[in-house]
PDB file of all heavy atoms in Angstrom:
ATOM      1  N   LEU A   1      62.893  65.482-257.048  1.00  0.00           N
ATOM      2  CA  LEU A   1      62.996  64.600-258.206  1.00  0.00           C
ATOM      3  C   LEU A   1      63.952  65.232-259.219  1.00  0.00           C
ATOM      4  O   LEU A   1      63.588  66.156-259.942  1.00  0.00           O
ATOM      5  CB  LEU A   1      61.616  64.387-258.830  1.00  0.00           C
ATOM      6  CG  LEU A   1      60.556  63.776-257.892  1.00  0.00           C
ATOM      7  CD1 LEU A   1      59.181  63.833-258.534  1.00  0.00           C
ATOM      8  CD2 LEU A   1      60.913  62.336-257.520  1.00  0.00           C
ATOM      9  N   ILE A   2      65.188  64.733-259.248  1.00  0.00           N
ATOM     10  CA  ILE A   2      66.216  65.272-260.135  1.00  0.00           C
ATOM     11  C   ILE A   2      66.209  64.446-261.414  1.00  0.00           C
ATOM     12  O   ILE A   2      66.319  63.217-261.379  1.00  0.00           O
ATOM     13  CB  ILE A   2      67.592  65.250-259.458  1.00  0.00           C
ATOM     14  CG1 ILE A   2      67.545  66.072-258.165  1.00  0.00           C
ATOM     15  CG2 ILE A   2      68.673  65.787-260.388  1.00  0.00           C
ATOM     16  CD1 ILE A   2      68.793  65.972-257.308  1.00  0.00           C
ATOM     17  N   THR A   3      66.079  65.123-262.559  1.00  0.00           N
ATOM     18  CA  THR A   3      65.774  64.422-263.793  1.00  0.00           C
ATOM     19  C   THR A   3      66.298  65.167-265.016  1.00  0.00           C
ATOM     20  O   THR A   3      66.480  66.384-264.976  1.00  0.00           O
ATOM     21  CB  THR A   3      64.250  64.247-263.925  1.00  0.00           C
ATOM     22  OG1 THR A   3      63.937  63.622-265.173  1.00  0.00           O
ATOM     23  CG2 THR A   3      63.538  65.595-263.884  1.00  0.00           C
ATOM     24  N   SER A   4      66.504  64.427-266.095  1.00  0.00           N
ATOM     25  CA  SER A   4      66.844  65.061-267.382  1.00  0.00           C
ATOM     26  C   SER A   4      65.595  65.258-268.228  1.00  0.00           C
ATOM     27  O   SER A   4      65.658  65.807-269.327  1.00  0.00           O
ATOM     28  CB  SER A   4      67.854  64.197-268.155  1.00  0.00           C
ATOM     29  OG  SER A   4      67.309  62.914-268.423  1.00  0.00           O
ATOM     30  N   SER A   5      64.457  64.801-267.726  1.00  0.00           N
ATOM     31  CA  SER A   5      63.197  64.910-268.464  1.00  0.00           C
ATOM     32  C   SER A   5      62.121  65.494-267.547  1.00  0.00           C
ATOM     33  O   SER A   5      61.364  64.765-266.898  1.00  0.00           O
ATOM     34  CB  SER A   5      62.766  63.530-268.981  1.00  0.00           C
ATOM     35  OG  SER A   5      61.553  63.605-269.681  1.00  0.00           O
ATOM     36  N   ALA A   6      62.066  66.824-267.501  1.00  0.00           N
ATOM     37  CA  ALA A   6      61.177  67.496-266.545  1.00  0.00           C
ATOM     38  C   ALA A   6      59.704  67.206-266.814  1.00  0.00           C
ATOM     39  O   ALA A   6      58.930  67.001-265.873  1.00  0.00           O
ATOM     40  CB  ALA A   6      61.428  68.999-266.579  1.00  0.00           C
ATOM     41  N   ASP A   7      59.299  67.184-268.083  1.00  0.00           N
ATOM     42  CA  ASP A   7      57.884  66.978-268.401  1.00  0.00           C
ATOM     43  C   ASP A   7      57.380  65.642-267.874  1.00  0.00           C
ATOM     44  O   ASP A   7      56.327  65.562-267.238  1.00  0.00           O
ATOM     45  CB  ASP A   7      57.658  67.063-269.917  1.00  0.00           C
ATOM     46  CG  ASP A   7      57.837  68.474-270.454  1.00  0.00           C
ATOM     47  OD1 ASP A   7      57.828  69.415-269.634  1.00  0.00           O
ATOM     48  OD2 ASP A   7      57.998  68.632-271.678  1.00  0.00           O
ATOM     49  N   THR A   8      58.142  64.581-268.146  1.00  0.00           N
ATOM     50  CA  THR A   8      57.759  63.248-267.683  1.00  0.00           C
ATOM     51  C   THR A   8      57.715  63.196-266.160  1.00  0.00           C
ATOM     52  O   THR A   8      56.795  62.627-265.567  1.00  0.00           O
ATOM     53  CB  THR A   8      58.764  62.198-268.202  1.00  0.00           C
ATOM     54  OG1 THR A   8      58.802  62.261-269.623  1.00  0.00           O
ATOM     55  CG2 THR A   8      58.388  60.799-267.763  1.00  0.00           C
ATOM     56  N   THR A   9      58.686  63.809-265.526  1.00  0.00           N
ATOM     57  CA  THR A   9      58.782  63.750-264.069  1.00  0.00           C
ATOM     58  C   THR A   9      57.710  64.600-263.403  1.00  0.00           C
ATOM     59  O   THR A   9      57.239  64.269-262.309  1.00  0.00           O
ATOM     60  CB  THR A   9      60.183  64.182-263.615  1.00  0.00           C
ATOM     61  OG1 THR A   9      61.155  63.427-264.348  1.00  0.00           O
ATOM     62  CG2 THR A   9      60.390  63.919-262.134  1.00  0.00           C
ATOM     63  N   GLU A  10      57.305  65.688-264.032  1.00  0.00           N
ATOM     64  CA  GLU A  10      56.217  66.513-263.488  1.00  0.00           C
ATOM     65  C   GLU A  10      54.943  65.692-263.352  1.00  0.00           C
ATOM     66  O   GLU A  10      54.191  65.852-262.385  1.00  0.00           O
ATOM     67  CB  GLU A  10      55.960  67.726-264.388  1.00  0.00           C
ATOM     68  CG  GLU A  10      56.993  68.838-264.288  1.00  0.00           C
ATOM     69  CD  GLU A  10      56.875  69.669-263.019  1.00  0.00           C
ATOM     70  OE1 GLU A  10      55.981  69.369-262.188  1.00  0.00           O
ATOM     71  OE2 GLU A  10      57.670  70.602-262.863  1.00  0.00           O
ATOM     72  N   ARG A  11      54.695  64.802-264.308  1.00  0.00           N
ATOM     73  CA  ARG A  11      53.507  63.942-264.232  1.00  0.00           C
ATOM     74  C   ARG A  11      53.580  63.032-263.015  1.00  0.00           C
ATOM     75  O   ARG A  11      52.580  62.814-262.325  1.00  0.00           O
ATOM     76  CB  ARG A  11      53.355  63.123-265.517  1.00  0.00           C
ATOM     77  CG  ARG A  11      52.935  63.955-266.724  1.00  0.00           C
ATOM     78  CD  ARG A  11      52.420  63.072-267.855  1.00  0.00           C
ATOM     79  NE  ARG A  11      53.490  62.292-268.462  1.00  0.00           N
ATOM     80  CZ  ARG A  11      54.272  62.722-269.446  1.00  0.00           C
ATOM     81  NH1 ARG A  11      54.100  63.951-269.931  1.00  0.00           N
ATOM     82  NH2 ARG A  11      55.200  61.954-269.959  1.00  0.00           N
ATOM     83  N   PHE A  12      54.778  62.502-262.744  1.00  0.00           N
ATOM     84  CA  PHE A  12      54.937  61.649-261.559  1.00  0.00           C
ATOM     85  C   PHE A  12      54.778  62.465-260.284  1.00  0.00           C
ATOM     86  O   PHE A  12      54.169  61.998-259.308  1.00  0.00           O
ATOM     87  CB  PHE A  12      56.299  60.958-261.583  1.00  0.00           C
ATOM     88  CG  PHE A  12      56.550  60.094-260.386  1.00  0.00           C
ATOM     89  CD1 PHE A  12      55.778  58.962-260.153  1.00  0.00           C
ATOM     90  CD2 PHE A  12      57.544  60.412-259.462  1.00  0.00           C
ATOM     91  CE1 PHE A  12      55.998  58.154-259.042  1.00  0.00           C
ATOM     92  CE2 PHE A  12      57.777  59.621-258.350  1.00  0.00           C
ATOM     93  CZ  PHE A  12      56.996  58.491-258.133  1.00  0.00           C
ATOM     94  N   ALA A  13      55.305  63.678-260.277  1.00  0.00           N
ATOM     95  CA  ALA A  13      55.179  64.549-259.103  1.00  0.00           C
ATOM     96  C   ALA A  13      53.704  64.827-258.800  1.00  0.00           C
ATOM     97  O   ALA A  13      53.277  64.779-257.634  1.00  0.00           O
ATOM     98  CB  ALA A  13      55.930  65.853-259.335  1.00  0.00           C
ATOM     99  N   ARG A  14      52.927  65.080-259.832  1.00  0.00           N
ATOM    100  CA  ARG A  14      51.491  65.328-259.634  1.00  0.00           C
ATOM    101  C   ARG A  14      50.803  64.056-259.130  1.00  0.00           C
ATOM    102  O   ARG A  14      49.898  64.119-258.291  1.00  0.00           O
ATOM    103  CB  ARG A  14      50.853  65.807-260.943  1.00  0.00           C
ATOM    104  CG  ARG A  14      51.265  67.229-261.340  1.00  0.00           C
ATOM    105  CD  ARG A  14      50.335  67.795-262.402  1.00  0.00           C
ATOM    106  NE  ARG A  14      50.405  67.037-263.646  1.00  0.00           N
ATOM    107  CZ  ARG A  14      51.261  67.292-264.633  1.00  0.00           C
ATOM    108  NH1 ARG A  14      52.133  68.283-264.517  1.00  0.00           N
ATOM    109  NH2 ARG A  14      51.249  66.564-265.735  1.00  0.00           N
ATOM    110  N   HIS A  15      51.255  62.912-259.649  1.00  0.00           N
ATOM    111  CA  HIS A  15      50.662  61.627-259.247  1.00  0.00           C
ATOM    112  C   HIS A  15      50.840  61.383-257.745  1.00  0.00           C
ATOM    113  O   HIS A  15      49.871  61.036-257.051  1.00  0.00           O
ATOM    114  CB  HIS A  15      51.322  60.500-260.057  1.00  0.00           C
ATOM    115  CG  HIS A  15      51.042  59.124-259.530  1.00  0.00           C
ATOM    116  ND1 HIS A  15      49.809  58.512-259.649  1.00  0.00           N
ATOM    117  CD2 HIS A  15      51.849  58.237-258.865  1.00  0.00           C
ATOM    118  CE1 HIS A  15      49.866  57.317-259.087  1.00  0.00           C
ATOM    119  NE2 HIS A  15      51.079  57.129-258.605  1.00  0.00           N
ATOM    120  N   ILE A  16      52.054  61.564-257.222  1.00  0.00           N
ATOM    121  CA  ILE A  16      52.258  61.294-255.790  1.00  0.00           C
ATOM    122  C   ILE A  16      51.620  62.375-254.927  1.00  0.00           C
ATOM    123  O   ILE A  16      51.255  62.122-253.773  1.00  0.00           O
ATOM    124  CB  ILE A  16      53.749  61.090-255.437  1.00  0.00           C
ATOM    125  CG1 ILE A  16      54.590  62.318-255.789  1.00  0.00           C
ATOM    126  CG2 ILE A  16      54.296  59.841-256.109  1.00  0.00           C
ATOM    127  CD1 ILE A  16      56.039  62.207-255.303  1.00  0.00           C
ATOM    128  N   ASP A  17      51.460  63.569-255.478  1.00  0.00           N
ATOM    129  CA  ASP A  17      50.769  64.633-254.740  1.00  0.00           C
ATOM    130  C   ASP A  17      49.309  64.255-254.536  1.00  0.00           C
ATOM    131  O   ASP A  17      48.765  64.367-253.430  1.00  0.00           O
ATOM    132  CB  ASP A  17      50.889  65.948-255.512  1.00  0.00           C
ATOM    133  CG  ASP A  17      50.243  67.108-254.777  1.00  0.00           C
ATOM    134  OD1 ASP A  17      50.024  67.004-253.553  1.00  0.00           O
ATOM    135  OD2 ASP A  17      49.953  68.129-255.424  1.00  0.00           O
ATOM    136  N   VAL A  18      48.675  63.765-255.612  1.00  0.00           N
ATOM    137  CA  VAL A  18      47.258  63.392-255.540  1.00  0.00           C
ATOM    138  C   VAL A  18      47.070  62.118-254.718  1.00  0.00           C
ATOM    139  O   VAL A  18      46.186  62.039-253.862  1.00  0.00           O
ATOM    140  CB  VAL A  18      46.689  63.206-256.966  1.00  0.00           C
ATOM    141  CG1 VAL A  18      45.284  62.607-256.910  1.00  0.00           C
ATOM    142  CG2 VAL A  18      46.664  64.537-257.711  1.00  0.00           C
ATOM    143  N   LYS A  19      47.927  61.112-254.960  1.00  0.00           N
ATOM    144  CA  LYS A  19      47.738  59.802-254.325  1.00  0.00           C
ATOM    145  C   LYS A  19      48.165  59.780-252.867  1.00  0.00           C
ATOM    146  O   LYS A  19      47.501  59.152-252.031  1.00  0.00           O
ATOM    147  CB  LYS A  19      48.520  58.744-255.119  1.00  0.00           C
ATOM    148  CG  LYS A  19      48.261  57.321-254.651  1.00  0.00           C
ATOM    149  CD  LYS A  19      48.916  56.305-255.582  1.00  0.00           C
ATOM    150  CE  LYS A  19      48.639  54.880-255.138  1.00  0.00           C
ATOM    151  NZ  LYS A  19      49.252  53.878-256.059  1.00  0.00           N
ATOM    152  N   PHE A  20      49.254  60.483-252.546  1.00  0.00           N
ATOM    153  CA  PHE A  20      49.809  60.394-251.193  1.00  0.00           C
ATOM    154  C   PHE A  20      49.856  61.745-250.465  1.00  0.00           C
ATOM    155  O   PHE A  20      50.357  61.806-249.345  1.00  0.00           O
ATOM    156  CB  PHE A  20      51.236  59.826-251.248  1.00  0.00           C
ATOM    157  CG  PHE A  20      51.314  58.434-251.803  1.00  0.00           C
ATOM    158  CD1 PHE A  20      51.740  58.214-253.102  1.00  0.00           C
ATOM    159  CD2 PHE A  20      50.968  57.338-251.023  1.00  0.00           C
ATOM    160  CE1 PHE A  20      51.834  56.934-253.618  1.00  0.00           C
ATOM    161  CE2 PHE A  20      51.052  56.048-251.526  1.00  0.00           C
ATOM    162  CZ  PHE A  20      51.478  55.844-252.831  1.00  0.00           C
ATOM    163  N   LEU A  21      49.369  62.801-251.103  1.00  0.00           N
ATOM    164  CA  LEU A  21      49.462  64.159-250.551  1.00  0.00           C
ATOM    165  C   LEU A  21      50.912  64.496-250.200  1.00  0.00           C
ATOM    166  O   LEU A  21      51.208  65.087-249.161  1.00  0.00           O
ATOM    167  CB  LEU A  21      48.573  64.296-249.307  1.00  0.00           C
ATOM    168  CG  LEU A  21      47.080  64.003-249.526  1.00  0.00           C
ATOM    169  CD1 LEU A  21      46.317  64.134-248.215  1.00  0.00           C
ATOM    170  CD2 LEU A  21      46.496  64.923-250.594  1.00  0.00           C
ATOM    171  N   GLN A  22      51.820  64.086-251.075  1.00  0.00           N
ATOM    172  CA  GLN A  22      53.251  64.281-250.866  1.00  0.00           C
ATOM    173  C   GLN A  22      53.776  65.396-251.757  1.00  0.00           C
ATOM    174  O   GLN A  22      53.645  65.343-252.978  1.00  0.00           O
ATOM    175  CB  GLN A  22      54.014  62.993-251.168  1.00  0.00           C
ATOM    176  CG  GLN A  22      55.529  63.137-251.163  1.00  0.00           C
ATOM    177  CD  GLN A  22      56.081  63.557-249.809  1.00  0.00           C
ATOM    178  OE1 GLN A  22      55.926  62.854-248.818  1.00  0.00           O
ATOM    179  NE2 GLN A  22      56.730  64.705-249.762  1.00  0.00           N
ATOM    180  N   GLN A  23      54.376  66.391-251.152  1.00  0.00           N
ATOM    181  CA  GLN A  23      54.941  67.502-251.904  1.00  0.00           C
ATOM    182  C   GLN A  23      56.216  67.048-252.611  1.00  0.00           C
ATOM    183  O   GLN A  23      57.074  66.387-252.028  1.00  0.00           O
ATOM    184  CB  GLN A  23      55.255  68.673-250.989  1.00  0.00           C
ATOM    185  CG  GLN A  23      55.728  69.925-251.723  1.00  0.00           C
ATOM    186  CD  GLN A  23      56.042  71.060-250.765  1.00  0.00           C
ATOM    187  OE1 GLN A  23      56.086  70.863-249.555  1.00  0.00           O
ATOM    188  NE2 GLN A  23      56.273  72.236-251.306  1.00  0.00           N
ATOM    189  N   ALA A  24      56.355  67.406-253.879  1.00  0.00           N
ATOM    190  CA  ALA A  24      57.538  67.039-254.650  1.00  0.00           C
ATOM    191  C   ALA A  24      57.984  68.234-255.486  1.00  0.00           C
ATOM    192  O   ALA A  24      57.169  69.040-255.935  1.00  0.00           O
ATOM    193  CB  ALA A  24      57.243  65.849-255.557  1.00  0.00           C
TER     194      ALA A  24
END
């Protein structure tokens, strides 16, 4: 996940990790 807003994107990364067991 390449982003200019790491904090916001970290929340999404945690979301897909929990929901889909997907490493990001």
Side-chain angles (χ1 to χ4, degrees):
L1 301 170
I2 301 172
T3 177
S4 60
S5 179
D7 290 344
T8 302
T9 308
E10 285 285 1
R11 289 196 290 274
F12 179 65
R14 289 196 296 271
H15 167 72
I16 59 173
D17 182 19
V18 171
K19 187 173 181 179
F20 298 103
L21 302 178
Q22 172 62 61
Q23 185 181 10

